[in-house]
Amino acid sequence: MGPSMTLPSADLTPAEFRKRGKELVDFIADYLEGSRDRPVNHSAIQGFLFKKMPKIPPKDPVSMDEVYKDIKEFIFPGIPQWQSPKHHSLLPAGGSYASLLGSMLCDGLGCVGFTWADCPAATELEMLVMNWLAHLIDLPKDFHFFVQITPWVKSPSYVSPIVQTSTTEALLTVAVAAKRIMLDYLKLTNPEVSEWALQEKFMVYCSEQAHPSLERVCEISGVKLKRLWTDRQGIMHGDTLRFAIEKDKAKGYHPFLVIATVGSIACTSVDQIGKMGPILDAEFPKIWFHIESGYAGSSFICREYQPLLHGIDYADSFSMSAHKWMPVHMDCACLWVKKTAHLTQTFACEDPQGPLYIPADDKNIMADYRSWSLPMTRRFRAMKLWVVFKLYGVKGLQQKIREDVRRAKELEKLIAEDHRFEVLGDVMFGIVPFRCKRPDNNDINYEILKQINKTAVIKMTGARIGFKYWLRFVVSGRYTDSEDVKFSWDMIRRTTNKVIAEYTERQHNEDRCGMPDYRHVVMIGKEKRMDQSESKEEDSLHQLRQFESFQS
């Protein structure tokens, strides 16, 4: 096709982009500010978009006004209000206007990261903000990035701080790297055993309350996972871990990775990392010790929470998700690994004979992120975190965490005033696990949660801890205040009153309409006298007929 036959560009002109971009900012701001007045849950049924929207894309372009119209008519009914002050489900969906500006910059700059040379700013800004965060959390110096170049040392020393998509990706990165280290060691000490036979005996340990994605992580890694018992508070103890490792080693298994949780998803329990560290440090070969703190990790920017990380010096890696509690949009999961070689030995795939070989320029000086994790290309995620740091400041970030905890403590006080409820332990973070204990019945709590979510006024989730079912109240919305907490608690109490009343009435009806005891029915109208044995046999037959008649 010649130049005269080419189609005009369907993209917006710079002038149109400026105009529509301003409209879009107003559209998003109006949506977020109105989240309080909308139903917190969606009203969609499965397949709702397939029934309403066209089956094929439009042939000709449409205006942005038509896009806004379709969003309001079709998209909005399928979106729950994650930023609503009445959304207390799952985990906080960290977000802020500062993070939105960072996301716009991330996408607008359009950078794709391979090596340092492909986008120096993306690589070095990620290294910088990860150092900022490590400093705020007060991680050991072994987790801080530093470059030490000396004339007699060709390669510098540095750790591996990296921003990833989610906790699942961080756990997968750690699992595969730990597996590679253990496999290389066992292949040297057991050359007669095949690699597949060695992998069949690999074992990962975590608590019952650890991240739910660990099953799929271990399945992808080709290793076995053992979830260990916890106490009533959901805490995994060091003695439990020691016993499990000794028992499995006696059976011929190869423990190579332990994942401890600080602030679990269900109940924010904190495993005994201070006691686990010495146990794993004494093992030979060394067992990789990973500390996962996806939700609670953000709270460690406040000094009062940092003692919970006592024992992190023994850890080989640490991960937290800034997008869960800090005002940062997904995706922004942060991972620190003490030794870069543990990652590069696993994920580096330099092939000069490959179809597209990209040399690692300045590899000995700056990070080469394509060799540190599963994806080779990266988004400019550090931009979101950097803008939030700049616009919030340390004091602003700490204030957000403390405000959420204060709201959770307010709810804890309200729950304590109602004798029907109990709270799981002391509330330390922004999640309050509680349950109705009178009557002590898991079905009651499940029904309470079902009725609450059915109203779409507030939204919550539940979790099983041990043999009990608990309700979870998450302080997540950035607009949540004390009045919202009181409103949600009042809604929970009224729903509980209704559920308990229905349960009591059902129990009363079952007791009143129970099965009659036919042994006490007096039989009359017998014309002939029977002996005692015949009488008993006849009575039994008669009772059986009456029971069958009653059932029919």
Side-chain angles (χ1 to χ4, degrees):
M1 297 175 61
S4 60
M5 298 294 293
T6 58
L7 295 173
S9 173
D11 198 4
L12 301 176
T13 63
E16 291 174 334
F17 173 73
R18 294 176 187 272
K19 176 184 176 182
R20 294 304 184 182
K22 295 175 182 177
E23 291 177 356
L24 181 59
V25 169
D26 292 336
F27 181 82
I28 295 174
D30 292 340
Y31 170 78
L32 293 175
E33 291 176 4
S35 60
R36 181 186 296 273
D37 303 323
R38 300 190 192 94
V40 69
N41 207 356
H42 61 80
S43 59
I45 59 175
Q46 294 187 12
F48 76 107
L49 281 182
F50 288 91
K51 296 179 181 178
K52 294 182 178 180
M53 300 190 81
K55 302 298 186 294
I56 57 175
K59 182 178 180 180
D60 298 318
V62 298
S63 66
M64 194 66 187
D65 295 329
E66 185 71 19
V67 174
Y68 288 140
K69 179 183 176 183
D70 287 352
I71 290 175
K72 294 177 180 179
E73 183 178 355
F74 302 131
I75 306 299
F76 275 0
I79 299 180
Q81 305 300 308
W82 279 83
Q83 304 299 332
S84 170
K86 300 180 180 63
H87 190 281
H88 312 295
S89 174
L90 296 176
L91 292 171
S96 62
Y97 291 122
S99 179
L100 280 172
L101 294 177
S103 297
M104 292 172 64
L105 283 170
C106 172
D107 295 332
L109 296 177
C111 299
V112 179
F114 287 90
T115 63
W116 176 89
D118 293 302
C119 187
T123 297
E124 297 198 17
L125 187 64
E126 184 164 335
M127 297 160 64
L128 177 68
V129 296
M130 288 294 285
N131 258 14
W132 285 4
L133 193 53
H135 173 74
L136 283 181
I137 297 176
D138 195 26
L139 294 180
K141 292 300 181 182
D142 293 342
F143 287 106
H144 291 245
F145 181 90
F146 66 94
V147 180
Q148 183 179 2
I149 305 175
T150 56
W152 59 87
V153 178
K154 294 183 178 180
S155 61
S157 300
Y158 54 83
V159 297
S160 304
I162 182 172
V163 179
Q164 297 186 312
T165 58
S166 63
T167 299
T168 303
E169 184 180 358
L171 292 174
L172 180 61
T173 301
V174 168
V176 175
K179 173 187 172 183
R180 170 55 56 187
I181 294 171
M182 181 61 72
L183 188 60
D184 290 344
Y185 170 79
L186 293 177
K187 285 166 65 177
L188 291 175
T189 56
N190 301 274
E192 71 283 354
V193 184
S194 67
E195 183 173 320
W196 292 107
L198 292 173
Q199 292 186 48
E200 288 181 353
K201 295 294 184 178
F202 278 15
M203 186 69 73
V204 180
Y205 301 91
C206 68
S207 76
E208 287 182 316
Q209 302 301 322
H211 201 273
S213 69
L214 278 170
E215 274 74 15
R216 77 176 68 174
V217 166
C218 291
E219 185 176 359
I220 294 172
S221 304
V223 296
K224 294 180 174 61
L225 173 68
K226 179 173 287 188
R227 289 186 177 269
L228 303 180
W229 285 92
T230 60
D231 61 14
R232 295 181 179 180
Q233 307 295 325
I235 300 171
M236 182 171 68
H237 291 251
D239 291 337
T240 304
L241 178 62
R242 179 192 290 111
F243 177 77
I245 292 175
E246 292 176 352
K247 185 178 179 181
D248 287 339
K249 289 180 71 174
K251 294 180 179 179
Y253 287 99
H254 304 298
F256 75 98
L257 173 61
V258 172
I259 299 173
T261 305
V262 178
S264 60
I265 292 177
C267 58
T268 64
S269 58
V270 179
D271 293 340
Q272 294 183 342
I273 59 176
K275 295 183 178 180
M276 295 178 187
I279 296 173
L280 302 178
D281 197 50
E283 290 288 331
F284 185 82
K286 177 73 169 62
I287 299 176
W288 187 302
F289 187 28
H290 176 74
I291 297 178
E292 192 275 314
S293 186
Y295 165 71
S298 301
S299 68
F300 301 131
I301 65 174
C302 303
R303 295 190 65 86
E304 60 267 28
Y305 286 98
Q306 291 173 2
L308 294 176
L309 285 178
H310 174 69
I312 195 173
D313 296 323
Y314 294 99
D316 298 286
S317 55
F318 172 77
S319 64
M320 54 85 68
S321 295
H323 60 250
K324 286 182 178 177
W325 201 358
M326 292 180 69
V328 181
H329 286 89
M330 279 193 75
D331 43 18
C332 189
C334 305
L335 171 66
W336 290 264
V337 179
K338 280 185 177 179
K339 295 183 179 180
T340 305
H342 290 167
L343 297 182
T344 56
Q345 290 174 4
T346 305
F347 297 103
C349 53
E350 297 179 4
D351 182 12
Q353 306 300 325
L356 182 62
Y357 175 63
I358 302 175
D361 296 334
D362 301 297
K363 181 178 180 181
N364 293 333
I365 299 176
M366 286 298 168
D368 186 7
Y369 279 124
R370 64 170 181 159
S371 300
W372 288 13
S373 62
L374 186 61
M376 294 190 66
T377 57
R378 306 174 53 73
R379 297 179 68 243
F380 203 166
R381 299 187 189 94
M383 180 62 72
K384 293 183 294 184
L385 199 56
W386 181 71
V387 172
V388 169
F389 272 125
K390 298 288 286 186
L391 297 186
Y392 267 78
V394 175
K395 291 183 178 179
L397 295 173
Q398 292 173 339
Q399 180 184 1
K400 186 214 181 299
I401 298 296
R402 288 166 178 155
E403 282 294 316
D404 287 348
V405 174
R406 189 163 67 86
R407 304 291 180 229
K409 298 295 288 186
E410 290 176 359
L411 178 63
E412 181 186 26
K413 184 178 179 181
L414 293 173
I415 294 174
E417 296 173 356
D418 194 326
H419 67 280
R420 299 174 302 174
F421 292 89
E422 63 177 337
V423 179
L424 181 66
D426 296 327
V427 174
M428 294 188 296
F429 305 104
I431 297 178
V432 184
F434 67 100
R435 71 191 304 271
C436 178
K437 63 179 180 179
R438 296 188 179 180
D440 189 358
N441 193 323
N442 286 342
D443 294 337
I444 288 289
N445 290 278
Y446 180 79
E447 187 64 24
I448 292 172
L449 178 65
K450 181 180 178 181
Q451 294 294 335
I452 286 174
N453 291 336
K454 188 176 180 180
T455 62
V457 177
I458 64 175
K459 184 175 176 62
M460 293 173 56
T461 52
R464 287 194 175 273
I465 305 170
F467 296 102
K468 293 184 178 181
Y469 189 81
W470 295 79
L471 308 177
R472 295 172 65 256
F473 187 100
V474 182
V475 180
S476 59
R478 51 182 162 174
Y479 304 110
T480 304
D481 55 23
S482 298
E483 294 300 321
D484 294 313
V485 173
K486 293 177 182 178
F487 174 85
S488 298
W489 172 241
D490 183 63
M491 182 69 186
I492 294 169
R493 289 190 62 190
R494 287 190 280 114
T495 305
T496 301
N497 294 338
K498 177 185 175 183
V499 171
I500 291 180
E502 293 175 351
Y503 174 80
T504 305
E505 182 180 1
R506 186 166 60 251
Q507 290 292 108
H508 176 70
N509 291 336
E510 290 178 359
D511 294 340
R512 185 180 59 183
C513 302
M515 190 63 63
D517 190 351
Y518 290 104
R519 291 177 300 175
H520 303 288
V521 176
V522 179
M523 301 185 64
I524 59 176
K526 295 295 181 180
E527 297 182 356
K528 64 177 182 178
R529 184 179 180 87
M530 297 179 292
D531 56 18
Q532 190 173 3
S533 60
E534 292 178 348
S535 176
K536 289 183 179 180
E537 183 179 359
E538 188 68 24
D539 289 347
S540 299
L541 291 174
H542 185 67
Q543 290 177 15
L544 180 61
R545 295 191 188 98
Q546 283 189 332
F547 179 72
E548 292 175 349
S549 176
F550 175 82
Q551 283 189 322
S552 63

